[in-house]
Amino acid sequence: MSENYPALLVIVPLLSAFAIYACSWLHKKSCLPLAITGLSISFLISIGLLIKVLHRGPFSYHLGGWTPPWGIAYELDQINALVLLAVTTVALVNLIATGKEIERLFADRKGAFYALYLLFVVGLLGIVVTGDLFNLYVLLEIASITGYSLIAMGESARAPISSLNYVFMGTIGACFYLLGVGYMYIMTGSLNMADVRGLLPPLYHSSAILAAFIFCLVGVMIKMGFFPLHFWLPNAYTYAPSPAASLIAPLMTKVMAYVMIRLMVSVFSPSFVFSSISASRGIVWLACLAIIIGAVMALSQRDIRRMLTYIIVSEIGYIVGGAWLGNATAMSGAILHILNDALMTLCVFLAVGAVSRKLGRLYIEDLAGLFKKMPFTMAGFVAGGISIIGVPPTCGFFSKWYLILGAIEANNYGFVAALIISSLINVALFFRIIETAFMGNPHTAAIGHEWTSGIQEVSLTTLVPLLVVTTGLVILGIFSGVVVTQVIRPGLTGVF
Amino acid sequence: MASQYSLLPLFAVLTSLCAVPFIIFARSPNTREAVSFLAAGLKFAIVLSMLPAVLEGQKLVFTIVEVIPGAPLQLRVDAFGMLFALVSSSLWILTTAYSIGYMRGLSEHAQTRYFCFFALALSATIGVAFSANLLTLYLFYEMLSLATYPLVTHHQDEDARISGRKYLTYILGTSIGLVLPAMVYVYHLTGNLEFSVFGVLAHKASGPVLAAVLFCFIFGFAKAAIMPFHAWLPAAMVAPTPVSALLHAVAVVKVGVFSIARILLFTFGIRLLESFHLGTLVAYTASFTIIVASLIALSQDELKRRLAFSTISQLSYIVLGVSLLTPKGICGGLIHIAMHAFGKITLFFCAGAIFVATGKKYISEMAGIGRTMPVTMLCFFFGALSVIGLPPCGGFISKWYLALGTLQSQQMVFLIVLLSSSLLNAMYFLPIVYHAFFMGTVSGEASENLIREAPTWCLVPIVATALGSILLFFFPGIFLRLAALALQ
Amino acid sequence: MEFFLTHLVAKYNFWLYIILMMIGLYAMIAKNNLIKKLVGMNIFQTAIILFYVSIGSKKGATIPIIEHSGKTVGHALDPAHYVNPLPHVLMLTAIVVSVSTFGVALALAVKIYQRYKTLEEDEILTRIRES
């Protein structure tokens, strides 16, 4: 049984999704418990897989017993297992935290919502764990389509059109990726990542392989919202329903960044990827632009959730820049940042979702005096903000450390400057909000009626996960040394 | 120098952290303040208990976790850290007492929040004092910045908002913008961030690069209020006076100069600084601040602002002393941390007491106040003497050593700087005392010569710190020993 | 003439799919009507599907089905006689993906029409700005 864990990891939420949808016709109340059970099983399996990888090293699982390259293989190594754990954790914590809100928002459609939620997680898990290029495309589209639907379920009138724009850009991205895979198939005859890795070296000089790499890269960059291909991101994440936003925002773009790193490291080796110094420097400059422009655009936003989406654009810039700097330190920083950013984004989106439940509208000025009314939620928001700014001992500091160190090692001081400037802008971004929440009187216009006296927090089912995530930020920060030296660095052996 | 594993540094830092839940859930103001007192006393006791070991030359170490390979989160109690910790923890007890009197006297709001963040700030201060490497120091430095923000903006009005913004811009902006890249660069050069008596940067980089890194640190630790990054300090005076007193005269600003001294002596090292003449560069930067801040202080009518600029000036004395790189100069700089703390806190306590008792903030209103508040103004006098550097107050000792240090380094310029700024200090402090005692009241109200002092809770700490300043003149031995041991 | 023959005529399938892709892309970007944009998206995806199928073809090869008529195949098969079936199989999946995406996008278009009463993008933007 335990040898089948990699497959079960993906299959259990898949079957749960269908079970939930069927269940929603019969017995609506058990939808949420079923969903939580399915995700919990996946969560436990991902922990088990991480432990197995740390003890025994990377291993692969052949679906259906077919050996690659004819069959589809799931490849598990340290980096994989870490991202898997991040995905299952975020999905599970988010479901527990927003379960009540989902029941309230989608009372008549909750079967559909939970099914889509679980299918989205299935897609992401599959993307991370697969070792086959085409299988990745299929699961990518599963995740994308369910994502589009989840976003379109938002209550705002602008949700469907934002989702439709996301459909267009996302499809172009996925098709570019498919095209790149097609080129690789023509040249190597194989779709298995490890196999292609072995077959590619003699072909590095062919323009077809270069075209394949560029197509795959551009496709993945569209999907991850890398500047200047990010225009779908702010609208899509702002108008999504808040339970979906706090699921999709931490995960989708980061998993796409993982795909980019996987392509760079395991399919096209670094010797090919970094062979053109001007190209990699060019991408790092583009990443610097992404970082700065994301931060500056965030400054000009009045709506807090929109501001957070621009911060995501900035954070993706960190990861892409770190990956393309070309040394082990920066790549470790980028991978660590995938983890950290997933957690930090979950933290702020959960806090903001909780606030929007009470307030309705989310302009900065609506938060006046909120520390008096919702101290724990705001404490969670402050913790997430501090982590995004990069203050030790939260995790955000440590991934910035490795990124800055890697940039110094690569003599790329522009990237260092971009990182520092964006941290300073983040200080302004978050302390604007903290200052408003700290001073002033609780705003009644935003909620349409008077606040009652005393603390008026959201329910415990939201608060406890939020506080767990906040503690997780600090714990992940303190143990980031362990994560980097025991998990990420071994995963990158032989790469640089 | 034996390094001994011990849990005591950890307890010293954690004492006030653990007090925070008790403060939050205390059911009455008396319980809350009793908890604060208890935590303060406990912290001081733990710090004192480590003193004998440190005086023998031992260092107590506690490693928390290895967060970055080569830069663990580690606490180490050495002589320099002990000096700073003694000063902060002893003065915290007195400030807690003073806070109680002040906050109750003015019926301030949100006192629970105040005491909570006060406790957190003290935790962070002791953490800085006992940091074993640059990363740990940075962590506690940032924790202090964040913990003091709610204290500075305590009144939550428009003034507080503006000052809070200034505070954050200067303090967080410089620490993230200057210290962080410099720190990563040092790690890049050396692979670790240790503090060692011989410095860790020898032979690692060229002169200009080292100078750039050094000045990133000097200006980056803006809590030391070196010009031009000093403007947050006068702005932070909108905080309640106990906050101004402990944090801005003793804890926050001393953390800044402590960090700079650590960098100069333990990351760069005396020999490296001498070989590239970096010490002189830093000394000139500090001298500029000393003179200009004193001049600005002369023009200030609001008492707390005058004291703030005086602090800016005095902090650079410490930096100047250390940057002279001579044994007497360094010793003078280090013990000035203690002397200035006691003197300045007395002055701030007096300013607050005057406000609680009479509501007056401006020096021009304070003529004749010595007759209604004789004890307070007498203590003010002794505090002023300490800051000016005249016997029988402790400040004289540190100025004496500083002067000897300039002679040792054979740079007469700095002796002139010291003497002229002492003169300026006298020019802006003594008139206050003179007006208070020997001039009539300005408003012409019938001088009833009623003695109306501040509440007892305020008065006792004022007398205690003033006595402390005088005692330090006669018994400076502990601090001199610690300063001498710091460099071994 | 050589150049024309080798690069254009011999590789006509690649040129065709490029043209189709560009048509699809043009429709997605330049057309105002949402349904036309959707159709453009579908054309884009179809172009890629056609590309994949075309790369599997071989000169003089037949469909990839082995003739049994009762007896087992005792001799080795020459793959050169059969068209490569793998791209066909992959593209079946891709077609399914394309259809699902199209379905979701159409559902979204219906919702947009219900709200804004129009399918022209510029009118939708105007109505968003007004509301």
Side-chain angles (χ1 to χ4, degrees):
Chain A
M1 183 61 157
S2 69
E3 321 86 61
N4 290 324
Y5 278 169
L8 281 176
L9 177 74
V10 178
I11 292 178
V12 166
L14 182 63
L15 293 177
S16 314
F18 295 124
I20 290 172
Y21 195 64
C23 198
S24 70
W25 295 105
L26 308 164
H27 187 232
K28 280 209 163 170
K29 279 213 167 147
S30 47
C31 286
L32 181 57
L34 254 179
I36 294 185
T37 319
L39 281 180
S40 312
I41 298 178
S42 269
F43 173 66
L44 292 170
I45 295 179
S46 64
I47 295 181
L49 288 174
L50 180 62
I51 297 177
K52 189 172 176 190
V53 169
L54 287 177
H55 277 166
R56 296 210 231 139
F59 64 96
S60 65
Y61 174 83
H62 304 157
L63 276 175
W66 293 94
T67 52
W70 297 279
I72 295 179
Y74 279 177
E75 302 278 346
L76 274 137
D77 66 358
Q78 290 93 339
I79 301 174
N80 238 341
L82 212 49
V83 180
L84 276 179
L85 184 59
V87 172
T88 50
T89 315
V90 170
L92 182 60
V93 171
N94 184 49
L95 187 58
I96 297 177
T98 53
K100 240 187 185 174
E101 179 72 358
I102 298 174
E103 299 279 315
R104 186 184 72 84
L105 274 178
F106 301 111
D108 51 336
R109 297 175 285 170
K110 57 177 155 180
F113 188 89
Y114 288 128
L116 286 172
Y117 192 104
L118 283 172
L119 285 173
F120 180 75
V121 178
V122 164
L124 290 180
L125 290 173
I127 294 173
V128 177
V129 83
T130 187
D132 183 284
L133 289 166
F134 191 78
N135 192 232
L136 199 148
Y137 169 75
V138 174
L139 289 155
L140 176 61
E141 286 297 75
I142 293 180
S144 306
I145 295 177
T146 47
Y148 306 148
S149 321
L150 282 170
I151 290 174
M153 287 173 95
E155 36 197 27
S156 158
R158 293 181 67 171
I161 185 107
S162 311
S163 182
L164 194 60
N165 278 324
Y166 183 20
V167 169
F168 289 141
M169 291 209 71
T171 309
I172 296 180
C175 288
F176 275 173
Y177 174 79
L178 187 60
L179 205 49
V181 170
Y183 278 31
M184 276 194 272
Y185 176 68
I186 296 179
M187 299 303 288
T188 62
S190 170
L191 289 169
N192 181 285
M193 287 187 196
D195 199 30
V196 168
R197 168 69 179 266
L199 290 168
L200 271 182
L203 299 165
Y204 280 156
H205 298 294
S206 83
S207 45
I209 293 298
L210 185 61
F213 183 61
I214 294 177
F215 272 124
C216 286
L217 196 62
V218 173
V220 172
M221 281 182 179
I222 295 179
K223 283 257 166 213
M224 72 166 106
F226 181 60
F227 178 88
L229 304 162
H230 69 284
F231 293 105
W232 55 268
L233 202 150
N235 277 339
Y237 290 177
T238 309
Y239 298 113
S242 61
S246 45
L247 171 72
I248 302 178
L251 291 180
M252 186 70 183
T253 46
K254 316 299 174 293
V255 170
M256 287 298 108
Y258 159 80
V259 170
M260 179 188 77
I261 293 180
R262 177 60 70 199
L263 285 175
M264 285 166 72
V265 164
S266 303
V267 180
F268 297 89
S269 65
S271 56
F272 167 75
V273 170
F274 295 110
S275 57
S276 164
I277 312 246
S278 49
S280 34
R281 282 224 150 203
I283 296 191
V284 176
W285 276 115
L286 208 52
C288 294
L289 270 181
I291 297 174
I292 300 285
I293 292 184
V296 169
M297 292 295 297
L299 262 183
S300 65
Q301 301 303 323
R302 252 176 107 197
D303 183 321
I304 296 182
R305 205 182 283 158
R306 238 189 138 77
M307 174 193 101
L308 291 177
T309 62
Y310 279 107
I311 292 182
I312 295 180
V313 173
S314 199
E315 302 284 325
I316 290 290
Y318 287 14
I319 301 176
V320 173
W324 280 87
L325 275 172
N327 56 52
T329 320
M331 184 65 91
S332 318
I335 296 175
L336 186 62
H337 202 65
I338 289 180
L339 285 180
N340 290 343
D341 198 44
L343 209 58
M344 303 191 299
T345 313
L346 177 66
C347 185
V348 284
F349 267 88
L350 275 183
V352 164
V355 170
S356 74
R357 228 171 292 168
K358 290 283 177 188
L359 288 183
R361 202 180 61 165
L362 268 180
Y363 284 178
I364 297 180
E365 57 259 24
D366 295 330
L367 263 63
L370 205 55
F371 268 109
K372 287 184 208 141
K373 290 291 163 196
M374 301 177 75
F376 294 104
T377 313
M378 288 308 292
F381 181 79
V382 169
I386 289 179
S387 189
I388 295 181
I389 293 173
V391 176
T394 57
C395 52
F397 172 77
F398 294 100
S399 46
K400 276 207 178 129
W401 176 277
Y402 288 105
L403 288 171
I404 296 179
L405 191 58
I408 293 180
E409 280 178 24
N411 264 322
N412 195 326
Y413 290 97
F415 195 63
V416 176
L419 285 172
I420 301 286
I421 293 176
S422 78
S423 301
L424 293 173
I425 298 181
N426 285 345
V427 171
L429 284 173
F430 282 99
F431 273 93
R432 254 188 337 184
I433 299 176
I434 295 176
E435 185 192 87
T436 314
F438 186 59
M439 322 222 179
N441 288 311
H443 221 275
T444 52
I447 56 172
H449 59 271
E450 283 284 323
W451 282 100
T452 51
S453 67
I455 294 183
Q456 274 212 290
E457 272 290 2
V458 284
S459 62
L460 273 179
T461 52
T462 313
L463 265 188
V464 171
L466 179 60
L467 294 176
V468 166
V469 174
T470 320
T471 333
L473 285 174
V474 176
I475 295 181
L476 187 55
I478 294 183
F479 287 105
S480 63
V482 174
V483 170
V484 170
T485 48
Q486 313 282 357
V487 185
I488 298 183
R489 284 286 168 89
L492 287 175
T493 47
V495 169
F496 287 105
Chain B
M1 290 302 108
S3 271
Q4 200 189 42
Y5 168 83
S6 161
L7 275 173
L8 286 174
L10 183 67
F11 288 151
V13 174
L14 284 182
T15 320
S16 38
L17 261 179
C18 296
V20 169
F22 292 104
I23 297 179
I24 296 182
F25 295 112
R27 260 177 256 146
S28 79
N30 288 329
T31 331
R32 173 183 69 204
E33 276 131 25
V35 170
S36 295
F37 256 123
L38 194 59
L42 203 55
K43 193 187 279 272
F44 185 54
I46 297 178
V47 170
L48 260 187
S49 69
M50 294 190 275
L51 184 59
V54 173
L55 283 175
E56 283 170 26
Q58 278 193 337
K59 300 186 190 179
L60 301 169
V61 181
F62 180 80
T63 310
I64 305 176
V65 68
E66 179 111 358
V67 280
I68 290 178
L73 279 184
Q74 200 178 47
L75 297 172
R76 183 166 55 219
V77 184
D78 63 353
F80 186 25
M82 176 58 78
L83 192 155
F84 183 34
L86 270 179
V87 173
S88 321
S89 48
S90 57
L91 287 174
W92 187 31
I93 305 178
L94 294 171
T95 315
T96 311
Y98 184 85
S99 297
I100 296 172
Y102 187 88
M103 303 295 258
R104 285 195 184 183
L106 289 176
S107 305
E108 282 270 4
H109 70 291
Q111 292 191 30
T112 308
R113 183 184 73 207
Y114 169 88
F115 282 105
C116 265
F117 280 104
F118 221 81
L120 280 173
L122 253 303
S123 244
T125 311
I126 301 292
V128 168
F130 290 158
S131 294
N133 56 38
L134 191 46
L135 183 65
T136 319
L137 190 139
Y138 183 78
L139 190 152
F140 284 114
Y141 187 92
E142 296 290 54
M143 183 174 152
L144 185 62
S145 314
L146 294 173
T148 46
Y149 178 76
L151 292 173
V152 170
T153 54
H154 182 83
H155 290 131
Q156 292 173 284
D157 55 13
E158 197 51 36
D159 274 336
R161 178 193 288 259
I162 299 175
S163 309
R165 281 208 184 161
K166 229 178 189 172
Y167 187 70
L168 278 179
T169 315
Y170 276 94
I171 302 249
L172 272 185
T174 50
S175 68
I176 294 180
L178 292 172
V179 177
L180 180 59
M183 182 169 60
V184 182
Y185 196 75
V186 169
Y187 182 81
H188 170 68
L189 287 176
T190 62
N192 68 68
L193 291 169
E194 282 301 306
F195 288 139
S196 142
V197 181
F198 307 106
V200 292
L201 280 173
H203 309 301
K204 298 285 182 181
S206 66
V209 170
L210 283 175
V213 173
L214 179 62
F215 277 92
C216 275
F217 280 122
I218 301 277
F219 291 123
F221 287 120
K223 291 199 179 117
I226 300 206
M227 289 183 164
F229 294 112
H230 66 285
W232 63 270
L233 190 47
M237 293 297 111
V238 298
T241 308
V243 175
S244 307
L246 182 72
L247 267 30
H248 302 285
V250 177
V252 167
V253 295
K254 289 305 188 323
V255 157
V257 285
F258 179 85
S259 312
I260 291 183
R262 275 279 196 219
I263 297 287
L264 283 172
L265 297 174
F266 296 94
T267 302
F268 281 80
I270 298 180
R271 226 161 269 152
L272 185 66
L273 291 173
E274 265 174 2
S275 60
F276 287 107
H277 304 292
L278 293 173
T280 319
L281 274 178
V282 177
Y284 275 110
T285 319
S287 309
F288 178 79
T289 306
I290 293 177
I291 299 289
V292 175
S294 301
L295 286 172
I296 301 181
L298 275 176
S299 71
Q300 297 297 317
D301 190 33
E302 194 186 327
L303 181 56
K304 276 172 80 170
R305 278 184 77 91
R306 183 173 288 199
L307 293 178
F309 278 100
S310 164
T311 303
I312 297 175
S313 178
Q314 295 288 320
L315 290 173
S316 289
Y317 274 60
I318 301 172
V319 178
L320 175 61
V322 173
S323 63
L324 287 171
L325 299 176
T326 59
K328 289 265 174 4
I330 296 176
C331 181
L334 295 186
I335 58 174
H336 197 60
I337 293 180
M339 306 303 179
H340 174 250
F342 276 89
K344 211 27 132 352
I345 205 174
T346 315
L347 295 173
F348 267 103
F349 279 168
C350 294
I354 295 175
F355 185 67
V356 170
T358 64
K360 291 185 184 167
K361 289 200 288 187
Y362 292 93
I363 298 174
S364 45
E365 306 173 314
M366 290 181 193
I369 207 167
R371 275 174 240 140
T372 49
M373 305 178 71
V375 180
T376 310
M377 288 316 291
L378 191 60
C379 295
F380 187 94
F381 175 61
F382 281 111
L385 281 184
S386 187
V387 173
I388 299 171
L390 292 171
C393 293
F396 174 72
I397 306 270
S398 52
K399 293 256 167 101
W400 180 254
Y401 272 90
L402 282 172
L404 286 181
T406 60
L407 289 173
Q408 263 189 341
S409 76
Q410 295 168 338
Q411 286 167 310
M412 287 315 181
V413 177
F414 301 120
L415 184 61
I416 299 176
V417 166
L418 278 177
L419 292 175
S420 39
S421 87
S422 297
L423 187 62
L424 286 168
N425 284 353
M427 280 169 62
Y428 61 67
F429 273 133
L430 293 178
I432 305 179
V433 183
Y434 182 79
H435 279 277
F437 281 113
F438 301 116
M439 305 285 271
T441 52
V442 175
S443 49
E445 61 195 36
S447 47
E448 299 158 14
N449 279 346
L450 257 184
I451 295 191
R452 235 183 58 219
E453 285 282 4
T456 326
W457 276 113
C458 288
L459 210 47
V460 170
I462 296 179
V463 174
T465 51
L467 273 178
S469 303
I470 302 178
L471 280 174
L472 279 174
F473 174 75
F474 294 104
F475 305 107
I478 283 280
F479 290 118
L480 282 173
R481 282 266 299 280
L482 286 172
L485 272 173
L487 284 174
Q488 285 174 348
Chain C
M1 197 58 189
E2 274 297 321
F3 179 86
F4 182 64
L5 280 173
T6 45
H7 284 91
L8 274 162
V9 176
K11 302 184 185 173
Y12 69 92
N13 60 332
F14 293 107
W15 289 108
L16 269 176
Y17 98 76
I18 290 176
I19 294 172
L20 269 179
M21 267 179 73
M22 290 302 111
I23 294 176
L25 209 51
Y26 169 76
M28 272 211 274
I29 296 172
K31 289 291 176 187
N32 220 1
N33 187 304
L34 286 183
I35 301 294
K36 291 187 185 173
K37 283 176 182 280
L38 284 182
V39 173
M41 179 178 86
N42 208 354
I43 296 176
F44 187 76
Q45 289 178 306
T46 310
I48 298 182
I49 292 173
L50 288 175
F51 160 67
Y52 261 83
V53 171
S54 75
I55 65 180
S57 70
K58 301 174 197 172
K59 206 171 183 177
T62 179
I63 55 175
I65 296 179
I66 302 173
E67 282 228 39
H68 268 264
S69 47
K71 46 186 177 3
T72 49
V73 183
H75 56 280
L77 291 167
D78 187 2
H81 289 159
Y82 299 98
V83 167
N84 189 351
L86 184 58
H88 299 192
V89 166
L90 299 178
M91 286 307 105
L92 281 176
T93 317
I95 291 172
V96 170
V97 168
S98 160
V99 167
S100 337
T101 315
F102 198 65
V104 170
L106 279 175
L108 290 175
V110 168
K111 277 204 91 170
I112 293 173
Y113 185 75
Q114 280 172 349
R115 171 68 179 83
Y116 293 108
K117 298 289 181 278
T118 170
L119 280 175
E120 304 294 320
E121 195 182 20
D122 50 0
E123 285 177 33
I124 295 176
L125 284 174
T126 328
R127 283 177 206 187
I128 290 177
R129 244 171 263 137
E130 283 165 13
S131 63

